[in-house]
Amino acid sequence: MILQALKEYYDRKAADPDSNLPPFGWERKEIPFLAVIDQNGRFLRFEDTREGEGKKKRAREFLVPSLGEKKGSGIKSNLFWENVEYMFGIPVPKKGKNEVNVERVAQQHETFCARIERIRGDSAAIHAAKAFCRDKENAERAKADPLWEEVLATNQSILLSLVGHGPVTNDAAVRTAVGSADEAENPVVCQV
């Protein structure tokens, strides 16, 4: 009874356009960089979303699919947003460590792409995101970008963005597809 009432309250709050509450399965996340891709999934450039000066720079907030759990030390990928290793399959040297586990980074990238491949839907954003994962030259294009050193140094979250349309997570078909995939993988059951 209490769970049902809480779910109904959440549904009312999430439906309110003035509410800052993200829909179920989504979260608001500060993302410092966008990886801008074209319709064919080709990486074009990074865009810095941060504002402010020096160390007080603050990234813009985006609505993104939630992983729904802590990542821990396992390999678990977010959907459409991740760090350099997951998104591009590029090893990032860690402070105090000379070697990078190249096999682990390859698995991280495969996991990132596998989650995107499982999304069903027919929109330019979905097709571009899938094509991005299939384009083996994107890592080299990313390394040639003028913002690469800064992206690499921070190795924080990057969100895929379709040129001329904005973040892929803003696409209505993506939001519907993600909601459907979340429900299929993790059905929510509330009994009275």
Side-chain angles (χ1 to χ4, degrees):
M1 187 92 155
I2 292 173
L3 287 177
Q4 183 66 34
L6 284 172
K7 183 189 179 313
E8 289 170 3
Y9 175 74
Y10 176 86
D11 290 342
R12 281 193 314 273
K13 291 302 261 178
D16 181 358
D18 295 329
S19 171
N20 200 24
L21 190 64
F24 181 77
W26 292 75
E27 65 180 294
R28 297 198 186 285
K29 180 86 175 161
E30 289 185 6
I31 309 268
F33 297 99
L34 299 176
V36 181
I37 59 176
D38 67 14
Q39 300 280 350
N40 299 316
R42 180 184 169 98
F43 173 82
L44 300 175
R45 67 182 174 279
F46 287 112
E47 284 184 10
D48 192 341
T49 73
R50 300 171 300 168
E51 296 175 345
E53 299 288 323
K55 293 187 179 200
K56 294 187 180 192
K57 285 185 178 182
R58 184 138 192 189
R60 206 165 100 210
E61 199 174 80
F62 295 90
L63 188 61
V64 294
S66 174
L67 186 57
E69 60 186 280
K70 296 276 186 198
K71 283 181 96 167
S73 60
I75 296 177
K76 297 175 186 165
S77 177
N78 289 300
L79 184 59
F80 301 116
W81 62 282
E82 258 306 344
N83 64 24
V84 169
E85 293 174 321
Y86 277 90
M87 186 174 283
F88 292 98
I90 299 172
V92 177
K94 308 285 188 262
K95 290 181 181 177
K97 292 186 178 181
N98 293 337
E99 290 189 30
V100 177
N101 187 338
V102 176
E103 288 177 20
R104 179 179 172 83
V105 173
Q107 288 176 337
Q108 290 171 326
H109 181 62
E110 286 173 21
T111 302
F112 175 78
C113 290
R115 284 211 64 205
I116 290 174
E117 287 294 337
R118 283 195 302 270
I119 292 296
R120 300 289 174 244
D122 189 28
S123 78
I126 292 171
H127 291 295
K130 289 180 178 185
F132 169 82
C133 286
R134 296 178 193 133
D135 189 331
K136 304 299 183 204
E137 301 300 317
N138 280 330
E140 293 307 314
R141 290 184 196 110
K143 289 179 188 177
D145 187 270
L147 287 174
W148 172 246
E149 291 301 323
E150 204 164 344
V151 170
L152 185 64
T154 61
N155 194 26
Q156 293 180 5
S157 300
I158 305 165
L159 174 61
L160 287 176
S161 181
L162 184 58
V163 69
H165 296 281
V168 297
T169 53
N170 288 357
D171 183 79
V174 167
R175 290 190 178 182
T176 300
V178 169
S180 299
D182 285 346
E183 289 170 17
E185 287 180 25
N186 304 305
V188 176
V189 178
C190 288
Q191 296 180 347
V192 181

